[in-house]
Amino acid sequence: MIFEQVATGGCQSYLVGCPDTFVAALIDPEASQIDRYVGLAARHGLHVRYVIDTHTHADHFSASRQMAARLGAAYVMHRSSPAPGVDIPVDDGDLLRVGNLRLKVLHTPGHTRDSMCLVAADRVWTGDTLLIGGTGRTDLPSGDAAALHDSLFQRLLKVDPALLVYPAHDYKGRTHSTIEAELASNPRLQQRDRAAFVAMMQSLNLTMPKHLTEALRVNMTGGKSVQQMLNEAAATVPFMSLAELRDRLDSPNSHLRVLDVRERDAYEAGHVPGAVSLPRGQLELRVNEALPDPTVRIVVCCEFGRISTLAASTLHSMGFQRAVALDDGLQAWREAGYPVRTGADP
Ligand SMILES: [Fe+2]
């Protein structure tokens, strides 16, 4: 088996390939690692045929839909998943043929209703149903502690105890375990009585994941995350460093227009000398009067360098091909001790 494990923070994703046919599956890809998966598949000469989410993730951004589109692969989830764009909705007992490898679907609801594990000859991808020394939580949308108990004790833990366990998360840098080791030492699996297990899960009192609302929105609707919007905008524009802009302010023939897209009060409290104010919210509607010459060289700035990236990308799409974004923002500009003017437009 060709096997790559990619950790992103505590999230684990996997590239699994057949060494005979070079067909592959990608399991639980994460949005910040898209280029890495493409590179790994290329390095091994793999054709990714399936992109699989083991469940609807609440704590990170799934890259599955994008990866499937980019790689010409099918997007696979359990049939109860709310995610749009699933090409192959699978059910308990289904087999995915990855060349000469077989991945068998075990529907294991509990962490979420659509949770599943994937069983291969020598290993099992457990999603968030079973973690090393733990289990997935059951207090997030569609979680059900009693269902998790049944999925663990009636289904997953009845597979061959020698199978290697590859979970969707590990926060301690461990890569894998075995069913046998988890049965022996996983504290949550020592609570085999259903009511006691449910009581234990309900008393965990865990903090909410950092991006819960946004991750669920993105993963359940196929919409974009804020970071994805920023990454896409950043890929369309060049940037200018703070020091470069500072130097060019002193140069009489730089022909630069500095466009400040913060709100008016922030602009008046302190802006780059010579900067023109055009708040981001008014950009499209006021751009014609503010920037009559589409060939002018524009540096777009804001407080932290994010809104300016979006604004520069918008300007590019409107035909301002020489718009660049400031690489950072006015906060860093002030901290660097660079010149600032206060008051209304020049
Ligand atoms: Fe999860």
Side-chain angles (χ1 to χ4, degrees), residues 55-59 111 128 169:
H55 63 287
T56 300
H57 299 285
D59 57 353
H111 171 60
D128 284 355
H169 288 101

Side-chain angles (χ1 to χ4, degrees), residues 199-260:
M200 170 187 68
M201 292 305 293
Q202 288 173 347
S203 65
L204 290 176
N205 223 346
L206 301 166
T207 54
M208 284 294 123
K210 198 168 161 207
H211 301 291
L212 174 70
T213 311
E214 190 186 13
L216 286 174
R217 171 178 62 75
V218 169
N219 294 340
M220 292 173 74
T221 66
K224 293 178 181 178
S225 66
V226 172
Q227 193 57 49
Q228 190 183 350
M229 299 284 288
L230 289 168
N231 290 348
E232 288 179 6
T236 65
V237 293
F239 288 80
M240 181 177 288
S241 71
L242 297 175
E244 180 76 18
L245 176 59
R246 194 267 327 268
D247 290 347
R248 285 174 183 246
L249 289 180
D250 299 334
S251 161
N253 43 13
S254 67
H255 304 299
L256 265 189
R257 294 294 297 276
V258 181
L259 194 66
D260 190 320

